[in-house]
Amino acid sequence: MESNTRDHLFEKAKEFVYEAGQRIKDQIDQPRKIETKSNPNDLVTEMDQNTEKFFAESIRNEFPEHRLFGEEGFGDDIKDLNGIVWIVDPIDGTMNFVHQKRNFAISVGIYEDGVGEIGVIYDVMGGALYTAVRGGGAFKNETPMKMNETKVLEETILALNTTWLIPENPHVEHKGVEALVKRIRSTRSYGSAALEFVYVAEGIIDGYLTMTLMPWDIAAGRIIVNEAGGIVTTADGEELDMLNKTTVLASHPDIHSEIVENYVDLKQRKKR
Ligand code: 2AM
Ligand code: CA
């Protein structure tokens, strides 16, 4: 992608994100209609849908040749990442949006032929905009984010969610994660994958390990973590599939392979 094309796209992405964020803020205290999707804890509101519609209209008006891959289905039917694809989660952390009215984010990743070019994550109520353009570093508002300090596992905080506590959960390799939790300093759980990625980029946590994310949960965050110097793969260290549900490990480079090799045994999980 030519640099002036990319600059223009980046400016437009930020403009759309700020406008979508303002619409959400304007209505944050309005009563909301909550529906459930795949299970009783999988929530969706009109605000998720309206925000994605806003992105669909804005992208179609401004960039008719681009495609949209969105969580709520107002985008295109995406089966490959050829050309320019906007991968959008209109509200990441819907449960936080519903219950807490904070700790949710708008996540926009722009890919060209499968390569992540631009990542924008907006912590709507916190007011922080996290961005990265491939090769240009990662920023929180205007401030560069970089993971410099050397890390040993004993001094890290990892984001994990409590599904790890359920031993019969078929998606997790329970014993390995138990050993990992004993070794690290502590865990956190924020309930928004996008925010967990940017907190890794910012260095306020050192890693994020999760078993079920969709491409729109990951698209922007992986670019931002990479540009801050971190590593993002599946939980068993493989390249991420940006079209399907996947496991994810995003972390500081010093601890990534150690977690993959010693604590996450997905092969064992697959055998069961
Ligand atoms: P969402 O709010 O956009 O649905 C919560 O731990 C994080 O996981 C959020 O980023 C949430 O995104 C995502 N998430 C929740 N349920 C999911 C599911 N069934 N598949 C993939 N991601 C999910
Ligand atoms: Ca969402």
Side-chain angles (χ1 to χ4, degrees), residues 162-216:
T162 50
T163 55
W164 295 105
L165 297 175
I166 305 167
E168 65 272 23
N169 188 327
H171 300 297
V172 305
E173 206 291 280
H174 193 252
K175 282 272 175 290
V177 174
E178 214 173 85
L180 176 62
V181 169
K182 282 185 190 151
R183 181 144 173 231
I184 62 177
R185 186 162 273 166
S186 193
T187 62
R188 295 288 184 274
S189 188
Y190 296 97
S192 156
L195 292 180
E196 284 162 310
F197 279 108
V198 297
Y199 294 164
V200 172
E202 200 182 351
I204 65 169
I205 58 174
D206 307 294
Y208 172 43
L209 177 61
T210 181
M211 285 294 127
T212 49
L213 288 183
M214 292 298 289
W216 44 80

Side-chain angles (χ1 to χ4, degrees), residues 158-161 164 171 177 180 193-194 196-197 200 207-219 221-223 225-226 231-242 244-251 256 259-260 264 266 269:
L158 301 185
L160 301 169
N161 58 45
W164 295 105
H171 300 297
V177 174
L180 176 62
E196 284 162 310
F197 279 108
V200 172
Y208 172 43
L209 177 61
T210 181
M211 285 294 127
T212 49
L213 288 183
M214 292 298 289
W216 44 80
D217 298 319
I218 302 166
R222 73 179 293 201
I223 301 170
V225 171
N226 283 333
I231 300 177
V232 188
T233 64
T234 65
D236 46 356
E238 305 290 332
E239 176 75 13
L240 288 172
D241 172 356
M242 292 304 293
N244 297 295
K245 187 179 263 198
T246 180
T247 66
V248 172
L249 173 62
S251 81
H256 194 275
I259 295 174
V260 169
V264 188
L266 296 180
R269 179 183 68 134

Side-chain angles (χ1 to χ4, degrees), residues 16 23 50-63 68 74:
F16 296 166
R23 289 166 181 232
N50 290 342
T51 303
E52 186 168 307
K53 281 184 202 159
F54 165 77
F55 275 99
E57 281 162 21
S58 305
I59 294 165
R60 278 173 196 143
N61 280 338
E62 199 83 36
F63 304 104
L68 167 63
F74 300 103

